[in-house]
Amino acid sequence: MNTPLSWIKAYVPDLDCTAQEYTDAMTLTGTKVEGFERFDADLEKIVVGKVLKIERHPDADKLVICQVQVDADGRTIQIVTGAPNVKEGAVVPVVLDGGRVAGGHDGKVTPGGIKIKKGKLRGVESDGMMCSIEEMGRTREMYPDAPEEGLYIFSDNPAYDKLEIGSDAVEALGLHDVNFEYEITSNRVDCFGVLGIAREAAATFQKAFVPPVVTETGNREKASDYVSVEIEDTKLCSRYVGRVVKNIKIAPSPMWLQRRLAANGIRPINNIVDITNYVMEEYAQPMHAYDLDQLSGRKIVVRRAKDGEEFVTLDGQTRKVDSSMLMICDAEKAVGIAGIMGGENSKITDNVTTMLFEAACFDGTNIRLSSKKLGMRTDAAAKFEKGLDPNNAMTAINRACQLIEELGAGEVVGGAVDVYPEPKMEKRVKFDYKRTNAVLGIELEKSEMIRYFEKLNLNYDHETDEVIVPTWRQDVNEQCDLDEEVARFYGYDKIPTTLPTGEATTGKISFKMRIEQIARQIAEQFGFSEAQTYSFESPKVFEKLLLSQEDKQRQAVVISNPLGEDYSVMRTLPLGGMLTSLATNYNRRNKNVRLYELANIYLPKSLPLSELPDERTQFTLGFYGNGDFFDLKGVVEEFLEKAGITGLLTYEPKADKNFLHPGRQAQIRHNNDVIGYLGEVHPEVLGSYEIGERAYIAVLDMPQIVEKAGFDIKYTGIAKYPAMSRDISMVMDKGILAGQVEQVIRKNGGRYLEHFELFDIYEGAQIAEGKKSMAYSVSFRASDKTLSDAEVNSAVEKILKGLAELGIELRS
């Protein structure tokens, strides 16, 4: 949002401050000024001059010598120029000796400007320079009366007929002005117009706010006799106001209107278009004009588009619309895309005689979505998508019609066609000034607070202690919003530092965060560094991880507006980012890299999405270099132990993970529930990620870990009685897992079983083919007595009996 200071002063006439003072004060009261530009920053000693006489240059075919009057007393100076349009009698901007211009004739602005000095051109004295509009730092786009090449000639424009020779040329061009750029938050829709900014400026500087007096103009006819309006979808169009103007006279706008638009960055075109743009900038209410004679049935119908319907917009482009978009139609056809752009079939041309002025209020969300679908970003759409005040439409259209009559652009027909099914009403917000003082830590009189409100047109009902909020202040809804209004005009810089009030509470992190904290501590103790990767990735990752076409993890949430194909889906596996990070480190020749990550995966419950996906935090460990499968398994077991997970923990060798080595992978189970997996990365996957050595991955599902974890740890004293141990050496098939053996020991060891540990595995000449030998040390201890050999032997016999059921024999 930009506004020139001159336009603000039109509504706050007593405003007197520098550009920097304005910037600082407005920012402190909540209307943040990003920066400002002085139009006359590099323009010095430039006056209005008149070319009295022209002679040919004796030594240059393209140069002429001009005698130029530069003040009211008739003083003349000699200027040599090559401007093709210079002529005797021309009134032009002249830079005197020692003056400065903003840029060159090529239109490029030079920082700090260009200083002009007396000198000689081809041996002839030249005491100054006559200027083009580009040398004044402006362009023909904003000054359409300027010639394509050559000097800017005031006398070619009747608006400058009364310009005095020697007067300030910068002022004549409206360049003694400052343009401010604001950062307006989307909840302050009223500040997207100059009037809203001016109201804030008046309140900030404690000056009177004098908005334009808008009167309803028009002849004795009725607009309803010329056109009718029907709204089919009142949810997407809450109000539609139409007024009719006949006997249109297309012409250039007056200079003051052109200058205001140009200062706001809008190119002047003609009186009708300029008025619509002017009112849009003034009231933040977009408007549109249709050629009434081109509207079939002289009727307006606001309806949804039909799927597959095509429409040619004002820019000559054919747009394909659908039923989610709102269209402005006549009795037979579409004539505009609501809130975005009108149609070529009803545009205003030089031949228009009667036109329909439109001021409407459309649903902001719908305009935003439609604009994005069509790839059309217009000034009107940018304002509509913020959610405009429907009560502003009538005032804005009356203002436009008032300007039409003032500028003699046409005859306004009396009355308006106004379809407004559900008028928006003012809000009432209960106000407690004591609460405001308590929140801000100040002691301000209630009357002073009310004075702030009144400056902002927030009226106060003393009987009910309520603030009456006008419909254009959509951001004020409750007491805290009123607190903010008081704070910003009292002065944020004046609010003292105070301690918060309230009772002391005992804070602690949640149980889930405690488990995650343990995961980080364990990983870092084992030399892993934390990684952070994107939650969105490329669909190509499924191919790189060798997932089958039927794999459920291919069913990912697709992002509707991705940064690109490489970031177009939400991840269903945490491995893509982890392997990419390992690959980056490998390719940078980093050795022995260990990374971990706690991050979410996103599993859709159904596609297309009908509800939010299941977001599950995964604890992922990955490394290459020193270490192997069993090192990673040890890290996992250490974490599960520290997290207080008790019960049967087993590893299934067939995890059915295509991205892991088929013979070096395992599914981690706790009491038969799968809680994760680990293994060596498949060589083909390593090749896809360009990792040149073995890498290992472990993934634990944190929601299940949190559910099973616990910190109910009971202290047991140091054992008073000795332990008794037995070594059991067994022969078994190679296919029997250590986990199966340990499960039998744990199950049959009895209540005195304290500890068991595998200390030997042997395969060789002394063992039959297809067999292996495993030896365990098993310890028993009682807390209340010394165990006898008979009690220990009984427990060992139960263990051996259970092992025999698996076909395991004692090694002889």
Side-chain angles (χ1 to χ4, degrees), residues 508-747:
K508 64 178 181 180
I509 62 175
S510 66
F511 184 79
K512 172 179 176 291
M513 293 177 69
R514 290 175 68 189
I515 301 299
E516 291 177 353
Q517 191 176 62
I518 289 172
R520 289 188 175 91
Q521 289 172 350
I522 295 299
E524 289 166 9
Q525 285 171 10
F526 282 91
F528 288 78
S529 299
E530 186 168 11
Q532 289 186 340
T533 62
Y534 287 117
S535 296
F536 28 84
E537 58 191 2
S538 170
K540 295 176 184 176
V541 75
F542 302 136
E543 304 298 333
K544 295 175 76 172
L545 293 176
L546 308 180
L547 296 187
S548 65
Q549 293 298 324
E550 296 76 27
D551 198 308
K552 289 185 177 180
Q553 288 171 315
R554 279 181 174 269
Q555 299 176 7
V557 177
V558 179
I559 300 171
S560 60
N561 56 340
L563 297 174
E565 186 183 0
D566 289 343
Y567 305 98
S568 60
V569 298
M570 303 300 293
R571 63 182 173 193
T572 58
L573 287 162
L575 301 182
M578 177 59 73
L579 290 173
T580 300
S581 297
L582 291 175
T584 301
N585 281 276
Y586 179 80
N587 291 320
R588 292 179 181 173
R589 304 184 183 223
N590 293 327
K591 297 181 179 180
N592 303 320
V593 174
R594 295 187 169 202
L595 301 176
Y596 78 92
E597 183 177 24
L598 280 162
N600 288 350
I601 58 172
Y602 304 84
L603 306 177
K605 298 170 185 175
S606 62
L607 289 175
L609 282 180
S610 56
E611 56 182 319
L612 292 175
D614 183 15
E615 297 186 29
R616 303 187 70 82
T617 303
Q618 308 288 285
F619 178 30
T620 307
L621 297 156
F623 77 92
Y624 66 79
N626 293 340
D628 58 17
F629 176 94
F630 297 102
D631 289 294
L632 187 59
K633 180 170 175 278
V635 178
V636 171
E637 290 179 340
E638 182 74 13
F639 163 61
L640 295 176
E641 181 183 344
K642 293 295 183 185
I645 293 182
T646 58
L648 186 60
L649 191 68
T650 58
Y651 297 86
E652 294 285 345
K654 293 185 179 179
D656 294 328
K657 303 296 182 185
N658 293 357
F659 45 80
L660 295 178
H661 192 292
R664 299 170 191 147
Q665 59 175 277
Q667 202 174 60
I668 307 169
R669 288 180 174 270
H670 178 263
N671 294 337
N672 291 324
D673 294 328
V674 178
I675 61 173
Y677 56 86
L678 78 161
E680 182 181 326
V681 180
H682 195 289
E684 191 173 333
V685 175
L686 290 174
S688 297
Y689 282 93
E690 299 182 355
I691 301 175
E693 59 180 281
R694 291 182 177 183
Y696 300 88
I697 291 284
V699 178
L700 292 168
D701 187 47
M702 291 302 286
Q704 291 203 71
I705 301 293
V706 171
E707 184 180 337
K708 295 172 178 293
F711 298 109
D712 187 16
I713 301 170
K714 294 182 180 179
Y715 168 77
T716 55
I718 298 173
K720 297 179 181 179
Y721 301 95
M724 299 183 69
S725 62
R726 295 287 188 272
D727 291 344
I728 304 175
S729 182
M730 301 157 281
V731 177
M732 65 197 76
D733 292 336
K734 282 186 178 181
I736 295 177
L737 304 175
Q740 293 175 274
V741 175
E742 292 174 4
Q743 187 173 350
V744 172
I745 296 174
R746 190 181 288 107
K747 180 179 178 182

Side-chain angles (χ1 to χ4, degrees), residues 436-443 492 494-502:
T436 301
N437 276 331
V439 167
L440 300 181
I442 60 176
E443 294 182 3
Y492 289 117
K494 298 179 184 176
I495 296 176
T497 301
T498 55
L499 292 173
T501 58

